[in-house]
Amino acid sequence: MISLHTSPVRRRRLGVATAAAGLLATLLMAGPAAATPDPGDRGAARTGVSAAQEAEAAAAIGSGEVPGVDEIVHSSNITHLANVPKDALKGLNTDLAFQGKYAFAGNYDGFRIFDISNPRSPRTVSQVLCPGSQNDISVSGNLLFLSTDSSRSDNSCTSTTQPATEKSSWEGMKVFDISDKRNPKYVAAVETACGSHTHTLVPERKNVYVYVSSYSPSATFPDCQPPHDGISVIKVPRNAPEKAAVVNFPVLFPDGGNPGAPDNPGVSRTTGCHDITVLPSKDLAAGACMGDGLLFSIKDPENPKIIDRVQDNVNFAFWHSATFNQTTDKVVFTDELGGGGAATCNEEIGPKRGANGIYDIVGRGDHRKLVFRSYFKIDRPQADTEVCVAHNGSIIPVKGRDLMVQAWYQGGVSVWDFTDSSKPKEIGYFERGPVTTDAVTTAGPWSAYYYNGYIYSNDIAKGFDVLKLDDRRTDPAKRVRLDELNVQTQPEYFGR
């Protein structure tokens, strides 16, 4: 049974450191999915633990240091309004996007559309079966975009897995028409080098540009050859999405990027980008690119231009995602230590590794620089059977403050303040206890975003959660209303 209570006295031990031919989609209203997802770059399988680790996890639960199995705990300023479990799509839940009264939830098996007009009771509008990890998702107008980052037999939604060593294999971007939310239509597909792990929209009136992030080339992969030192740029005409095509592959790392080991042990070698966040109103983008963090101009969206590049070869293992503050003088980079498949929120790893890195942006124009200020990592200890990692989050729009909500897999949802970039602090949280104490299991929130007064979270295993945040520091954000939100395309909250 799941209990629901606040837990303000949990022990602390980590500390806080400063229509194309051949396209087919299946619409599901009920019943199990007929296909299973690909594991992508992380497995969903349970990994066994030693008897000592199992005993330690049980002891942590017994002492109250860690919540019980599936037990829900949260700070007093957060209320859990709703949970909608998985239904037809049984794969891993992934990212979220929003438009009007709808939330769009990615899943390794496809995507699901919710009506969130009543946040206390989200209602499923449609579910679309279209396997292909990791189905990173975004929306713009009547178009929905879906990333495929696993080698498939073709570009249809009925494709099967196929080795990347085969030339006929397909990976890339899929485009759907969502003018009818009850019946999305698959209208276009664009193959991209090394597939599409994530993507970011740069929307314009007539066209949508899509920045496609992918990585890990191999000489044995015909469609993913090294060096893979840039991103694919796709141009999608709004009125003719079937004409979508790659228009450029800008090189972001002319020197090859971070070499990784043996030069920088424990750091990923840069072979592309994992995620990019853009702030179109400022013509600015930040790239989280494996071993490197980037700041670049997107004044010409087809030809992005690098402004600055930073590395952290001491505490960062894998630059995963980026978030600007509203005044564009800071950027938060996350480190996906362990690749989203390991327990990293514990005493052994400590407060600096697997953390967020907070950087100030100083200077003007093309002379701007990224200057490191501090790390932030949740200080709520997690059991060694819990996969915990800094993951996707968004700004909470409050003038004069830099506030963020962020997913941490089994570390839960964290609300934190980085107004003072040298002294970040957590001001609220929501989490579930371990899925189990006898294995390391991938679960917890993949993404947690603030949209029109509520926090929405897509839990990898448990489903879609809605949280209400009541706090004098964040309450002004409830007055900010958006028509659409793709978090990797940050809006101008106060300049509209």
Side-chain angles (χ1 to χ4, degrees):
M1 184 174 71
I2 297 176
S3 63
L4 180 63
H5 64 269
T6 58
S7 181
V9 294
R10 288 185 57 190
R11 297 179 189 175
R12 305 276 167 154
R13 70 180 180 193
L14 295 180
V16 178
T18 309
L23 303 184
L24 175 66
T26 302
L27 187 67
L28 300 170
M29 296 310 295
T36 56
D38 295 293
D41 67 340
R42 59 173 61 81
R46 291 153 54 100
T47 303
V49 298
S50 67
Q53 288 173 311
E54 184 176 354
E56 183 178 348
I61 291 171
S63 69
E65 185 176 39
V66 170
V69 172
D70 276 348
E71 180 184 14
I72 291 177
V73 297
H74 56 82
S75 54
S76 59
N77 57 356
I78 287 181
T79 304
H80 187 205
L81 296 183
N83 171 260
V84 184
K86 293 180 184 178
D87 185 26
L89 306 178
K90 303 300 185 183
L92 306 184
N93 283 330
T94 60
D95 212 0
L96 293 169
F98 304 90
Q99 188 180 82
K101 66 177 185 178
Y102 299 102
F104 304 82
N107 179 286
Y108 272 49
D109 276 345
F111 64 92
R112 186 174 183 179
I113 302 178
F114 293 99
D115 181 334
I116 55 172
S117 53
N118 179 2
R120 293 181 179 274
S121 185
R123 182 174 56 84
T124 299
V125 176
S126 59
Q127 300 179 72
V128 174
L129 175 64
C130 196
S133 63
Q134 56 188 8
N135 280 336
D136 190 46
I137 193 168
S138 57
V139 294
S140 183
N142 288 329
L143 300 178
L144 180 146
F145 301 84
L146 209 61
S147 287
T148 299
D149 189 35
S150 57
S151 186
R152 312 296 300 182
S153 57
D154 57 48
N155 65 7
S156 76
C157 284
T158 57
S159 67
T160 58
T161 59
Q162 183 169 291
T165 52
E166 295 187 23
K167 175 61 179 173
S168 62
S169 295
W170 185 90
E171 301 179 62
M173 289 299 308
K174 296 169 182 170
V175 185
F176 290 77
D177 184 324
I178 54 168
S179 52
D180 180 357
K181 304 297 189 294
R182 293 182 176 276
N183 189 28
K185 301 293 187 183
Y186 185 6
V187 296
V190 180
E191 186 171 16
T192 55
C194 302
S196 173
H197 192 71
T198 67
H199 68 271
T200 304
L201 304 186
V202 184
E204 295 186 340
R205 187 171 63 86
K206 293 183 177 180
N207 304 297
V208 180
Y209 287 96
V210 185
Y211 289 169
V212 177
S213 296
S214 56
Y215 53 92
S216 295
S218 169
T220 66
F221 298 163
D223 298 319
C224 184
Q225 291 282 301
H228 185 70
D229 48 13
I231 59 174
S232 297
V233 180
I234 298 174
K235 184 178 181 179
V236 184
R238 290 189 184 275
N239 293 331
E242 69 278 4
K243 295 181 180 179
V246 175
V247 293
N248 197 9
F249 187 87
V251 173
L252 303 180
F253 307 99
D255 63 352
N258 197 317
D263 293 350
N264 298 317
V267 178
S268 295
R269 180 171 69 93
T270 299
T271 60
C273 289
H274 180 277
D275 213 337
I276 292 170
T277 293
V278 298
L279 194 54
S281 63
K282 305 291 186 187
D283 292 326
L284 202 61
C289 302
M290 303 181 73
D292 295 87
L294 300 180
L295 183 70
F296 53 99
S297 168
I298 58 168
K299 185 173 293 186
D300 178 355
E302 290 189 23
N303 297 281
K305 177 182 177 182
I306 300 299
I307 296 173
D308 195 25
R309 189 176 94 184
V310 291
Q311 297 177 354
D312 180 343
N313 295 318
V314 176
N315 289 311
F316 259 49
F318 188 95
W319 296 67
H320 174 272
S321 53
T323 303
F324 289 105
N325 70 336
Q326 184 56 42
T327 53
T328 331
D329 57 6
K330 299 172 191 172
V331 62
V332 174
F333 289 102
T334 68
D335 176 19
E336 194 182 40
L337 176 67
T344 65
C345 299
N346 52 31
E347 190 172 18
E348 178 185 0
I349 299 299
K352 293 184 178 180
R353 297 174 60 211
N356 295 320
I358 305 168
Y359 287 75
D360 284 353
I361 302 173
V362 300
R364 294 177 178 273
D366 291 347
H367 299 290
R368 284 173 284 191
K369 297 292 183 183
L370 293 166
V371 179
F372 174 77
R373 293 304 185 201
S374 66
Y375 297 106
F376 171 78
K377 188 174 182 179
I378 59 172
D379 60 349
R380 292 170 283 107
Q382 308 298 311
D384 287 337
T385 60
E386 292 184 276
V387 171
C388 177
V389 67
H391 223 244
N392 295 353
S394 76
I395 290 297
I396 299 175
V398 175
K399 283 187 177 180
R401 302 188 79 101
D402 295 323
L403 303 166
M404 187 170 173
V405 58
Q406 184 178 5
W408 285 81
Y409 274 25
Q410 288 191 74
V413 174
S414 176
V415 179
W416 58 289
D417 187 329
F418 63 104
T419 305
D420 183 341
S421 53
S422 296
K423 296 180 180 179
K425 60 182 180 181
E426 185 174 76
I427 62 173
Y429 69 89
F430 168 90
E431 68 170 288
R432 291 179 171 89
V435 172
T436 179
T437 58
D438 63 4
V440 178
T441 307
T442 300
W446 178 288
S447 49
Y449 299 146
Y450 190 93
Y451 176 70
N452 289 353
Y454 297 89
I455 293 170
Y456 297 91
S457 169
N458 211 18
D459 189 291
I460 294 167
K462 300 297 182 181
F464 183 69
D465 287 304
V466 185
L467 309 177
K468 189 169 186 290
L469 175 63
D470 292 298
D471 190 293
R472 59 178 177 77
R473 293 163 291 192
T474 61
D475 284 347
K478 295 176 182 179
R479 297 191 292 268
V480 178
R481 313 298 292 183
L482 299 177
D483 297 324
E484 191 172 272
L485 177 63
N486 300 295
V487 168
Q488 287 74 32
T489 305
Q490 285 190 222
E492 182 74 37
Y493 287 102
F494 303 113
R496 296 175 300 130

